[in-house]
Amino acid sequence: MDGTSVDGRGGIDAGLVRRLIKAQFPQWAELAVEPVKVDGWDNRTYRLGASMTVRLPSAAAYAEAVGKENEWIPRLAPYLPVPVPEVVGNGVPGEGYPHHWSVRRWLDGETSSVERISDLTAFAVAVGEFLLALQACDATGGPVPGGHNFHRGGPPAYYDSETRAALVALDGQVDVEAASAVWEAALASRFDGPPVWFHGDIASGNLLVRDGKLSAVIDFGTSGVGDPACDLVIAWTMFSGESRAAFRRTVAADAGTWARARGWALWKALIVLADGRDEEINKLVIDEVLADHQLSS
């Protein structure tokens, strides 16, 4: 989830960031600290001077990702077609803040949105090509699905009980019979290929654009090696029609992978909707997923 940044959310504010920088990176103590305009949910991000950012996990559940990103992003970056975050400083707990954190190089670009993209179909192809390049990276020793990435890259069955509970709660708001069919199709499919790298949260908020084109990919906190189906959710959250078709052609997703991807998209939309959040957006995603499943039947 991304939204307008609010200084102080999660007990993290610019004052804390300044104290952490002064204590651990005194060479940067005089640089300005400002919240970024659009912030994520798992982490709080602050601009540090003109060329860096400070990224701090917002809760313990997200803290494990810091070390993972610091270790693996430098190994992956040389093989990827667009820039990804570059860590320039590793922060440790201090000043009352309990987690490890990081300082990163600033990446130029704006948070992606349909309005900022010059050609959505070409953008979908670029995103797909990024995923193929990521999947081609050496997965030896990479982090397998688990708590560090909320089990992305594993089978969607991990969230079976949560999904079914959401369906019960949303009876009358969504087509439960059709949604159940999508979910059962996702559960019936099995990933039997070699584990590959996946990002884990390919969404508009983690894609940057410049001059209408993909310019960077950020936030590898839910990355790992396993089934890449979870990376295809953007097919229904951002793409449609020709852009969705171009994305699927680019990533060469077979029917089973596409079914699991629909399951991941449905799970997330259902649980957020059942929680009473972002009703319009998630109902639209559910409708798109259901319609896509119907076309494939």
Side-chain angles (χ1 to χ4, degrees):
M1 179 189 298
D2 300 291
T4 302
S5 184
V6 178
D7 192 36
R9 179 171 62 79
I12 300 169
D13 60 21
L16 170 64
V17 175
R18 291 188 191 99
R19 293 193 300 274
L20 286 167
I21 292 295
K22 183 177 180 180
Q24 298 183 31
F25 301 99
Q27 69 272 31
W28 299 326
E30 301 305 315
L31 297 178
V33 173
E34 300 288 344
V36 295
K37 292 181 180 179
V38 178
D39 207 359
W41 183 261
D42 299 359
N43 296 272
R44 301 298 321 280
T45 302
Y46 285 78
R47 188 83 182 257
L48 178 62
S51 62
M52 293 178 287
T53 64
V54 180
R55 176 174 158 93
L56 308 96
S58 61
Y62 312 118
E64 191 176 349
V66 175
K68 176 181 65 177
E69 289 184 285
N70 292 354
E71 176 182 358
W72 288 101
I73 291 180
R75 304 191 197 186
L76 299 172
Y79 305 100
L80 301 176
V82 297
V84 295
E86 177 189 354
V87 177
V88 295
N90 296 309
V92 298
E95 306 301 313
Y97 179 74
H99 310 304
H100 285 77
W101 50 284
S102 60
V103 182
R104 300 170 177 219
R105 193 80 63 198
W106 175 262
L107 288 169
D108 286 331
E110 296 181 290
T111 302
S112 72
S113 65
V114 172
E115 297 76 17
R116 290 174 173 160
I117 295 168
S118 55
D119 183 333
L120 191 59
T121 297
F123 183 82
V125 170
V127 174
E129 289 173 344
F130 174 87
L131 293 177
L132 291 180
L134 180 61
Q135 291 169 23
C137 292
D138 184 1
T140 304
V144 299
H148 67 95
N149 69 350
F150 303 95
H151 299 273
R152 285 170 174 80
Y158 182 84
Y159 290 108
D160 185 44
S161 60
E162 192 174 75
T163 301
R164 295 186 190 280
L167 286 169
V168 171
L170 294 170
D171 191 14
Q173 296 185 57
V174 302
D175 186 336
V176 171
E177 183 177 354
S180 296
V182 171
W183 186 244
E184 293 296 343
L187 297 183
S189 173
R190 295 288 185 271
F191 176 63
D192 57 7
V196 296
W197 274 101
F198 58 86
H199 178 278
D201 194 12
I202 291 293
S204 60
N206 292 328
L207 306 174
L208 302 185
V209 296
R210 188 170 56 203
D211 300 326
K213 299 178 181 179
L214 180 68
S215 64
V217 177
I218 62 174
D219 194 352
F220 283 69
T222 51
S223 63
V225 296
D227 177 8
C230 59
D231 271 349
L232 309 185
V233 169
I234 195 171
W236 300 279
T237 59
M238 191 172 192
F239 304 144
S240 62
E242 179 53 32
S243 61
R244 182 182 299 155
F247 177 69
R248 182 172 183 178
R249 286 195 301 270
T250 303
V251 298
D254 60 26
T257 302
W258 205 244
R260 294 192 303 280
R262 280 195 297 258
W264 281 106
L266 181 69
W267 157 71
K268 186 62 176 289
L270 286 174
I271 64 169
V272 175
L273 182 59
D275 195 40
R277 294 181 283 133
D278 300 328
E279 180 175 332
E280 182 178 354
I281 294 172
N282 286 291
K283 281 189 174 181
L284 179 60
V285 170
I286 292 167
D287 288 344
E288 290 287 322
V289 169
L290 299 190
D292 188 68
H293 175 76
Q294 186 64 34
L295 285 173
S296 68
S297 301

